[in-house]
Amino acid sequence: MKIKLYIWLIALSLITNLSHAGEGMWLPLLLSQLNEKEMHDMGMRITADDIYSINHSSLKDAIVLFGGGCTGELVSEQGLLLTNHHCGYSNIQKHSSLDHDYLTNGFWAQSLEEELPNAGLSVTFLVSMSEITLKTLSGVNEHMKQGVRDSIIQVNIRRLTKEAVKGTHYAALIKPFFGGNQYYLFVTETFTDVRLVGAPPSNIGKFGGDTDNWMWPRHTGDFSMFRIYAGKNNEPAEYSKDNVPYHPAKHLSISLKGIKEGDFTFVYGFPGTTQEYLPSYAVDMTALQRNPIAIGLRQQRLDIIDKAMESDRLTRIQYSAKAAGIANTWKKMIGESRGIKRLGAIEKKQVFEKDFLQWVQSDAVNSSKYGQLLPAFSKAYSGFVPVNNAYTYLTEGLLGIELMRFANGYNALVKQCNDKSKTDADISKLVEQLKTAAAAFHKNYNKRVDMQLFQALMATYTHSCENGMQVPLVKATSTRYKENINAWSADLYKKTLFADSTKLNALLSGFKRKDARKIEKDPAYIVSTGIYAYLQNTFAPAVNAFYSTNDSLQRLYMAAQMEMQPDKRFYPDANSTLRVAYGNVKSYQPADAVDYTWFTTLDGIMQKENPDIYDYVVEPKLKELYKRHDYGRYADRDSSMHVAFIASNHTTGGNSGSPVLNADGQLIGINFDRCWEGTMSDLMYDPEQCRNISLDIRYCLFIIDKMAGARRLIDEMTIVE
Ligand code: ARG
Ligand code: ASP
């Protein structure tokens, strides 16, 4: 009996250990406590203190949250920053026109003076983090309603964050962890003068386009370069031509030594969202209900937009960033739902829930605390699924029509015009803002394309969204047109002011209070306000009520899971805070009889070359370098040019642009994606199938040096050969 138990325990500990290989997005602050030993066992040669410290400069001082949704890293004393091409994409796009098509041709500033400012782009450093659970929860008790609890917490957070940064130019935020069972305080520093330094042409930076996106083997040179500028004393300042390059406390050294399978690597960045501790009902709702609806609607949008982009260069410039965004989520959802099914994730959760129930029922205290949890989840989700489906039809379908989103922006103007307390000056000020927004909108808008979107999405919406949950005004209008959506759209796009920059400008220049009537009578405005009113008055309360219940259930469930498994090392779900993921360079088997090697090379780019397909064109200069085998010091030991590699680091959206570091903490790659088979890792990580995809830093430097000839940038970097 004893021996059996012993064997069973060993088996169990093996399973637990294995399940941690690569899984987890850890808090830098807790590495020394939770992970350092394992990281050393896996080959790391630096210390947890080298990665994160508040007493001296550490690697964290070289990492930034880039533009709110990506990560970037500092690679020179002069504020030079690397991130992904797809992270800099919208800024590269904003500087592009038919004459200066930086998207297609790339861009390289030849001097500091040529570096391009980007209004609205910022980068944020983490100054320090600390646990602040008790203070955040002060005044809260377990019997409160979630809403009361939330408002007390909000008041505490406002006070605590204010105190934390008093007398500094820093900002502070407090975020919940483990479903609101813990809170951490983050002190941050944000720079807003961030300039574009360089980007490869799209046929390098986006090589393989949406066809190769989310997939391995991959050959995308997905990087772009920016520079942080600072004002006096190296502190953040609004853009000014007198600003100077920022001197970071730390910048990364770059290793040209290369890597091999099995090597230790870690990713240091800002993962956005994961949901690893949900009940089976939630995974079912996302993977089997919501995703299929959203996938279908995005497919419709892409079919229309892709066709228009293929036949017209201007449309390509206007729509490429939008299409990339739509396609990215579309493909992620497909991969995620497939991965969930293949992994049997829902069944695995159900098995866990059985064990959980047993654990709950085996103890009177647990029974009273947690006995109602699973039934309550079941009830909440079964009630919410139909609402969530209809909500998805609306947000992914109706709001996929650009005009619906744009026209809604005029709601505030109409309100002001009808509000006697607003002066004419107030109104002119708003009109000026709307003019700027309209110019930006129309620069990238094609009426014909949007009309096709209207026809396709409206038809799907009226046919497929559950009848009782359709926007009443949409339903009524479609009925008025006898369900002839094409006739409806022909009328609407002919009459509306919003689809036409000349007509809209005519309205806005010399705008008078009484002109609000013209807006209120506009057919696009009418539908748009109908949609948003329904969203606000009907969906928002239902969605909020669900999430309020769900938040309190999830908080309890998280606490229970931790109580039930006291020896398990838990990592908190991603929430756009700085994390470390670590693993090994590792190949994988995506399917029966298929083996994927862990790296790709320039030879693969030549194999994929197709001059007739935009995404697979190879630059003549790159071909030249390939033919001459002119890789210089960037070639691998095996003499080929390595392009990308995969490893078992647990990453998600937001980790794009993150530095991938070796055992010595040197930069070996830039994270940019995950393998298709593993995209369910946001809901459940599978060590067999989950791999992050990184650009080999040597390919990046090769492009900067040999392709772009931007030696001035290479000379700034600290390179270890
Ligand atoms: N899949 C990557 C991520 O989620 C890269 C997306 C950009 N590329 C594209 N072809 N859409 O961000
Ligand atoms: N491509 C993603 C990003 O932009 C990364 C990922 O989802 O793996 O952050």
Side-chain angles (χ1 to χ4, degrees):
M1 183 64 198
K2 272 224 169 108
I3 291 180
K4 256 198 191 156
L5 181 70
Y6 183 67
I7 292 175
W8 187 78
L9 279 176
I10 291 183
L12 191 75
S13 78
L14 273 179
I15 292 168
T16 356
N17 279 337
L18 279 180
S19 72
H20 282 298
E23 177 170 4
M25 301 170 171
W26 305 92
L27 286 169
L29 173 74
L30 300 180
L31 288 180
S32 58
Q33 208 178 308
L34 293 178
N35 315 90
E36 191 175 31
K37 186 180 174 307
E38 184 181 62
M39 292 168 93
H40 281 149
D41 290 347
M42 288 168 72
M44 185 174 79
R45 287 185 288 265
I46 57 173
T47 64
D49 197 52
D50 295 326
I51 298 176
Y52 175 90
S53 169
I54 48 168
N55 302 316
H56 52 79
S57 70
S58 58
L59 291 174
K60 81 145 170 50
D61 300 315
I63 319 289
V64 292
L65 176 68
F66 181 89
C70 278
T71 304
E73 55 274 10
L74 277 293
V75 290
S76 92
E77 270 172 2
Q78 302 293 318
L80 191 62
L81 177 154
L82 274 173
T83 186
N84 288 147
H85 187 262
H86 78 261
C87 294
Y89 203 77
S90 60
N91 289 296
I92 306 167
Q93 199 255 1
K94 278 183 206 147
H95 293 294
S96 296
S97 61
L98 279 174
D99 300 334
H100 300 280
D101 190 350
Y102 299 143
L103 269 187
T104 304
N105 306 317
F107 167 79
W108 294 96
Q110 298 301 324
S111 63
L112 290 179
E113 290 70 40
E114 284 182 23
E115 298 179 355
L116 299 171
N118 300 286
L121 177 62
S122 66
V123 297
T124 299
F125 288 89
L126 175 65
V127 177
S128 67
M129 62 180 294
S130 50
E131 218 220 283
I132 192 155
T133 309
L134 284 178
K135 286 183 181 166
T136 310
L137 293 181
S138 119
V140 159
N141 69 48
E142 278 319 305
H143 312 292
M144 286 174 169
K145 282 231 161 79
Q146 183 73 22
V148 179
R149 179 189 173 96
D150 288 344
S151 41
I152 295 179
I153 291 174
Q154 279 323 310
V155 172
N156 289 341
I157 286 182
R158 237 172 284 138
R159 194 190 66 247
L160 292 166
T161 47
K162 215 161 137 193
E163 279 166 16
V165 292
K166 205 161 152 200
T168 72
H169 66 274
Y170 297 144
L173 71 165
I174 292 175
K175 286 206 171 184
F177 287 72
F178 294 115
N181 288 292
Q182 294 178 17
Y183 285 83
Y184 281 84
L185 165 74
F186 299 85
V187 175
T188 63
E189 183 177 35
T190 295
F191 288 80
T192 51
D193 186 352
V194 184
R195 303 187 197 169
L196 177 63
V197 173
S202 283
N203 57 30
I204 290 174
K206 209 181 166 222
F207 183 80
D210 288 315
T211 315
D212 284 12
N213 188 24
W214 292 115
M215 280 168 136
W216 187 254
R218 191 68 160 276
H219 299 85
T220 314
D222 197 344
F223 78 95
S224 61
M225 299 193 86
F226 289 78
R227 190 188 303 278
I228 306 173
Y229 280 75
K232 274 188 225 93
N233 312 324
N234 207 29
E235 282 185 4
E238 285 302 309
Y239 169 78
S240 151
K241 47 178 202 352
D242 302 329
N243 286 347
V244 291
Y246 167 68
H247 297 294
K250 182 99 188 169
H251 69 272
L252 301 179
S253 304
I254 298 175
S255 167
L256 296 186
K257 282 180 288 203
I259 41 172
K260 54 183 191 319
E261 174 137 41
D263 277 0
F264 173 81
T265 65
F266 67 105
V267 174
Y268 205 178
F270 290 89
T273 313
T274 60
Q275 299 174 291
E276 310 286 345
Y277 305 104
L278 298 176
S280 56
Y281 315 102
V283 178
D284 188 290
M285 179 174 87
T286 300
L288 306 186
Q289 305 277 340
R290 189 217 46 199
N291 283 1
I293 296 173
I295 290 164
L297 291 162
R298 281 174 184 257
Q299 176 79 62
Q300 287 189 291
R301 291 161 78 188
L302 288 168
D303 287 346
I304 291 165
I305 295 174
D306 285 346
K307 210 158 144 217
M309 287 203 304
E310 258 157 51
S311 56
D312 182 51
R313 259 188 80 207
L314 179 63
T315 315
R316 176 176 293 285
I317 294 176
Q318 291 177 318
Y319 279 78
S320 52
K322 297 181 214 173
I326 301 167
N328 195 42
T329 304
W330 165 78
K331 201 160 176 186
K332 154 84 191 295
M333 285 172 165
I334 299 175
E336 182 174 75
S337 291
R338 279 209 212 174
I340 288 293
K341 284 186 210 154
R342 173 173 170 179
L343 183 58
I346 296 170
E347 295 75 11
K348 283 199 164 79
K349 295 248 175 199
Q350 285 164 344
V351 169
F352 175 80
E353 284 156 17
K354 273 212 187 101
D355 293 346
F356 178 76
L357 205 64
Q358 243 172 30
W359 174 75
V360 169
Q361 287 168 348
S362 68
D363 179 283
V365 179
N366 288 347
S367 294
S368 76
K369 274 198 329 203
Y370 306 126
Q372 285 313 304
L373 250 180
L374 291 177
F377 267 131
S378 165
K379 185 163 162 248
Y381 277 98
S382 61
F384 186 56
V385 164
V387 179
N388 196 46
N389 287 351
Y391 180 72
T392 306
Y393 274 112
L394 190 159
T395 50
E396 294 276 331
L398 296 184
L399 298 185
I401 306 163
E402 285 189 79
L403 207 56
M404 295 300 115
R405 302 200 301 268
F406 180 60
N408 184 56
Y410 286 74
N411 207 336
L413 181 60
V414 170
K415 275 208 187 107
Q416 285 212 359
C417 293
N418 293 333
D419 177 350
K420 298 225 168 63
S421 75
K422 297 288 174 203
T423 64
D424 286 352
D426 292 332
I427 292 171
S428 320
K429 199 170 139 207
L430 184 54
V431 168
E432 283 315 307
Q433 289 167 5
L434 288 170
K435 265 193 203 159
T436 314
F441 175 80
H442 280 118
K443 175 177 184 275
N444 291 327
Y445 181 74
N446 180 318
K447 185 170 165 175
R448 228 172 359 90
V449 173
D450 201 41
M451 199 164 143
Q452 289 174 45
L453 289 174
F454 184 100
Q455 290 165 357
L457 297 169
M458 207 44 106
T460 304
Y461 183 80
T462 48
H463 285 134
S464 308
C465 179
E466 197 182 309
N467 243 312
M469 289 197 207
Q470 289 188 21
V471 177
L473 187 114
V474 168
K475 224 174 121 152
T477 317
S478 138
T479 312
R480 188 149 50 76
Y481 279 96
K482 303 202 171 52
E483 259 93 65
N484 185 345
I485 307 284
N486 287 5
W488 178 10
S489 79
D491 252 8
L492 185 143
Y493 281 81
K494 198 166 96 202
K495 289 191 193 134
T496 179
L497 299 168
F498 293 103
D500 191 313
S501 62
T502 321
K503 284 193 208 161
L504 186 59
N505 266 328
L507 175 77
L508 292 177
S509 344
F511 186 86
K512 303 255 160 29
R513 208 180 261 263
K514 66 171 185 345
D515 290 335
R517 297 291 88 73
K518 291 188 190 147
I519 298 176
E520 284 176 297
K521 279 199 308 218
D522 188 282
Y525 181 80
I526 293 173
V527 185
S528 163
T529 35
I531 295 172
Y532 279 92
Y534 192 68
L535 202 52
Q536 209 181 355
N537 304 330
T538 307
F539 274 122
V543 172
N544 292 343
F546 169 78
Y547 281 108
S548 171
T549 309
N550 194 55
D551 284 355
S552 57
L553 293 177
Q554 192 61 41
R555 175 164 42 84
L556 206 60
Y557 189 40
M558 188 71 236
Q561 290 181 61
M562 293 171 105
E563 229 176 273
M564 175 183 163
Q565 307 162 90
D567 296 328
K568 182 170 164 175
R569 212 171 25 147
F570 281 87
Y571 60 94
D573 272 320
N575 59 358
S576 296
T577 58
L578 188 60
R579 302 295 177 88
V580 172
Y582 53 95
N584 304 93
V585 173
K586 214 167 171 193
S587 51
Y588 76 113
Q589 287 79 44
D592 188 28
V594 185
D595 275 317
Y596 275 163
T597 308
W598 59 273
F599 69 94
T600 58
T601 67
L602 192 49
D603 303 64
I605 293 185
M606 297 315 301
Q607 288 163 13
K608 283 181 178 172
E609 182 193 18
N610 184 340
D612 300 329
I613 301 179
Y614 184 87
D615 290 329
Y616 292 100
V617 174
V618 179
E619 287 282 290
K621 185 146 183 214
L622 186 57
K623 270 204 273 204
E624 225 10 76
L625 291 164
Y626 172 74
K627 273 197 209 124
R628 289 206 312 269
H629 220 271
D630 184 2
Y631 307 150
R633 57 178 173 161
Y634 309 113
D636 188 75
R637 258 177 256 117
D638 69 10
S639 89
S640 72
M641 181 77 242
H642 283 211
V643 172
F645 65 91
I646 50 174
S648 60
N649 303 298
H650 189 180
T651 53
T652 187
N655 268 124
S656 275
S658 299
V660 185
L661 302 136
N662 64 14
D664 296 310
Q666 298 160 338
L667 187 66
I668 51 171
I670 308 174
N671 184 74
F672 69 95
D673 213 1
R674 275 171 286 167
C675 296
W676 175 253
E677 295 77 11
T679 45
M680 71 300 187
S681 63
D682 293 350
L683 297 168
M684 190 181 277
Y685 181 90
D686 175 10
E688 297 297 323
Q689 297 291 323
C690 293
R691 297 290 179 271
N692 67 310
I693 305 180
S694 308
L695 178 65
D696 192 306
I697 200 66
R698 294 169 297 175
Y699 182 62
C700 170
L701 263 50
F702 160 78
I703 297 292
I704 298 171
D705 187 346
K706 300 256 173 185
M707 266 282 302
R711 276 305 307 204
R712 71 169 188 115
L713 302 175
I714 302 280
D715 292 342
E716 279 183 46
M717 301 175 187
T718 306
I719 293 175
V720 187
E721 303 216 27

